[in-house]
Amino acid sequence: MSAGGAGADIDWSELEGAYGPATEVPEILAGLSDPELVADAVDDLFSSVIHQGSLYPVSGPAVVEIARLLAAGRCADPVACAVFVDHYGQCVERHRAHLEGLRADARGHRRAADRVGGHQARLDEAADVLAPLLRDVGSLDPLSARLLVLLQGRRSRLDAQRVAVLERLAADAAEAGAPDADTAGATAARAAAFALGRHGLDGPGTAAARACLLLGRVAAGRATADDARALAAAWPVALRVADVCVNEVTENTGLPMWLVDTDPRSAVMVLAALPADAAGADEDVVEALAAAAVTSRGATPSVLARLLELAESPGARTDAMVRALRQMPPRPGVRDALVRLASRPDALRPGSSRIVPRAAAARALAAQGDRRWAGLLASMMRAQDRKSTRLNSSHGRRSR
C-alpha cells in the first residue's frame, strides 16, 4: 500500500496491470504532478494501465485517481491527463461493443459484461469527480474543455442537474453557431450538444448544435431513419464539427468511416442519402459504403444499389469506384459497371492506391469468369504501346 499521495488508500499490489501487480502506479501518479516527470508518467499510463486498448483491474481505479488530480489542479499537464481519461472512456465503449460477439458463450458473455460494467462504474465516478470543472469551462484549454464535456456524455445516466449543465453549455456560447470556431466555449458547446444527443435529449437549434446532437444519437445507437436523413442534409456542417464533438474521428479515420465503425445501419442510411453528384461521390464516402457492406451483410443490398448509382456519376472517382465494386458480391450489374468504369479515359491512370483501375477491373472480371477482361487488358496494352511510341519519338527528336 502506498504511503501518501494520490491513491494512498489503495493497495495497488492487489490490482493487475499490463505487466502484473500494479505496484508502479503510485510512482506514476506522483509523476503526474511534477513538470519534469509528467511526460514520462503519461507514457507509463498508456503502457501499464491501458495497454493498446486493453483494460485491466488497475485501469478504473487509476483513472479515478487521475480525475481527482485534475479536479484538484494538481496535474502538471492537465491536457495530457484529460486525454488519458478520455481514452479510458473510449476503451470502455469499445469493450462494450465487443460484447455482442460473445453472446453465443453465455458464461463468457456474463463475465465480460461484468468486467465492462465495473469499468463503466469507474468511468461514471471519474465523470462525477470532474463535473465541478464544467462551471468555468471557458477558462480551460479548448481540448480539455471538449474532453471533460464529452466525458459527461459517456456516463451511463444523466441526472437532471447534469442535463441542466449540459443544456446551459450547449446554449451559452454564441460561437457555437459558427462551425469552425475553436474557443473553449464553442468546442464545449458542441461537445455538450453531442453528449445530450447520446442520451436521446434535445438541445439548441443552431446548425452546428443540431449536427452534434445527431452525431451523438448515432454514437449511442439511437439514430432513427429521420435522424439519418437530417444528418445527410446537414452533412457539410457535420464534417466541420465532427473533429470537435466526435474526438475519435481525429485519430485514424474520417467521419464516413466513423459512422460505419459506430453503427453500420445508420451509416448506410446517411451516406446513401447524400447527393450523388457531390458529397455522395466523395472517395471517403465510397470507401465507407464498401466497408459497411463488408461489416454488415444486411447492409449489402442498399450499399450495392447506391454504388451502382454512383458508378454512373461523372463526379465519382474511377479508382475509388472500382475498388469498392470489387468488394461487392459477383452480380451482372457489378460486372457491367466495372466495364463502364474501366472504359473511362482516366482508368489508365494509377489511382490513390497506385493501382491502374482498368487493370483492377480486368482482374475482377476474370475472377468472375467474365470474358470482357481480355478486351480491357488488350486496350490497356495498346494504350501503353502508343504512349511508348510517342515517348520514343519525342526522345529521338531531342537527340537530333
Side-chain angles (χ1 to χ4, degrees):
M1 186 175 293
S2 59
D9 57 342
I10 299 173
D11 188 351
W12 297 99
S13 66
E14 292 294 316
L15 300 174
E16 291 288 315
Y19 304 108
T23 53
E24 75 282 9
V25 168
E27 183 178 353
I28 295 173
L29 294 175
L32 295 176
S33 299
D34 189 326
E36 295 185 359
L37 300 177
V38 64
D40 288 339
V42 171
D43 286 344
D44 290 340
L45 288 174
F46 280 100
S47 174
S48 301
V49 175
I50 301 176
H51 185 68
Q52 296 181 350
S54 296
L55 298 176
Y56 306 93
V58 73
S59 303
V63 164
V64 172
E65 294 305 315
I66 296 167
R68 288 177 177 148
L69 290 173
L70 274 168
R74 291 171 53 199
C75 285
D77 188 345
V79 175
C81 291
V83 167
F84 184 78
V85 174
D86 177 74
H87 179 63
Y88 176 70
Q90 291 188 44
C91 291
V92 173
E93 287 189 358
R94 289 169 188 154
H95 281 250
R96 184 185 300 109
H98 292 158
L99 289 176
E100 192 63 31
L102 299 175
R103 289 197 177 276
D105 176 9
R107 183 177 299 177
H109 180 272
R110 187 163 54 251
R111 287 198 299 265
D114 288 343
R115 286 194 296 271
V116 171
H119 286 298
Q120 181 63 54
R122 293 294 190 173
L123 186 64
D124 288 354
E125 187 177 354
D128 292 344
V129 169
L130 291 168
L133 295 182
L134 300 181
R135 296 183 191 129
D136 193 21
V137 75
S139 66
L140 300 176
D141 172 270
L143 177 57
S144 294
R146 164 166 51 103
L147 296 181
L148 292 178
V149 174
L150 289 174
L151 178 65
Q152 302 305 311
R154 294 186 193 280
R155 244 190 145 273
S156 53
R157 291 182 183 83
L158 294 180
D159 55 36
Q161 182 178 5
R162 208 171 311 244
V163 169
V165 170
L166 290 173
E167 288 177 339
R168 176 182 60 76
L169 286 173
D172 265 1
E175 302 99 320
D180 298 320
D182 59 359
T183 64
T187 56
R190 295 196 287 276
F194 179 80
L196 290 169
R198 286 186 71 112
H199 289 269
L201 302 171
D202 241 327
T206 64
R210 187 63 185 163
C212 293
L213 281 164
L214 293 168
L215 290 171
R217 290 175 187 171
V218 172
R222 298 177 180 273
T224 64
D226 286 342
D227 290 333
R229 286 189 288 271
L231 185 54
W235 189 250
V237 177
L239 287 173
R240 293 197 293 273
V241 302
D243 63 344
V244 173
C245 62
V246 186
N247 55 308
E248 294 92 337
V249 168
T250 64
E251 291 185 353
N252 302 313
T253 186
L255 180 56
M257 197 61 76
W258 176 84
L259 289 171
V260 173
D261 291 340
T262 304
D263 185 351
R265 177 190 63 85
S266 294
V268 173
M269 287 193 293
V270 173
L271 300 178
L274 297 175
D277 58 349
D282 180 80
E283 184 174 6
D284 288 344
V285 171
V286 171
E287 181 182 357
L289 281 168
V294 173
T295 303
S296 172
R297 289 184 180 180
T300 301
S302 297
V303 169
L304 180 55
R306 179 60 167 177
L307 289 178
L308 291 177
E309 179 186 0
L310 290 176
E312 303 300 320
S313 171
R317 287 188 50 159
T318 301
D319 60 323
M321 291 305 310
V322 169
R323 281 201 311 273
L325 288 172
R326 289 180 66 191
Q327 300 178 60
M328 296 298 104
R331 299 283 191 277
V334 172
R335 294 192 287 272
D336 291 343
L338 284 170
V339 171
R340 288 193 295 272
L341 288 165
S343 301
R344 291 180 175 181
D346 64 346
L348 291 170
R349 293 194 294 269
S352 57
S353 60
R354 298 185 179 276
I355 296 175
V356 178
R358 188 169 296 183
R363 283 196 293 271
L365 292 170
Q368 297 182 33
D370 190 313
R371 295 181 180 180
R372 286 177 288 182
W373 70 268
L376 292 177
L377 279 187
S379 67
M380 185 174 169
M381 293 173 66
R382 287 194 297 271
Q384 289 174 339
D385 286 343
R386 288 193 296 270
K387 182 178 180 180
S388 297
T389 299
R390 287 195 300 271
L391 289 174
N392 290 336
S393 175
S394 175
H395 178 70
R397 286 195 297 272
R398 284 198 301 269
S399 297
R400 293 195 296 270

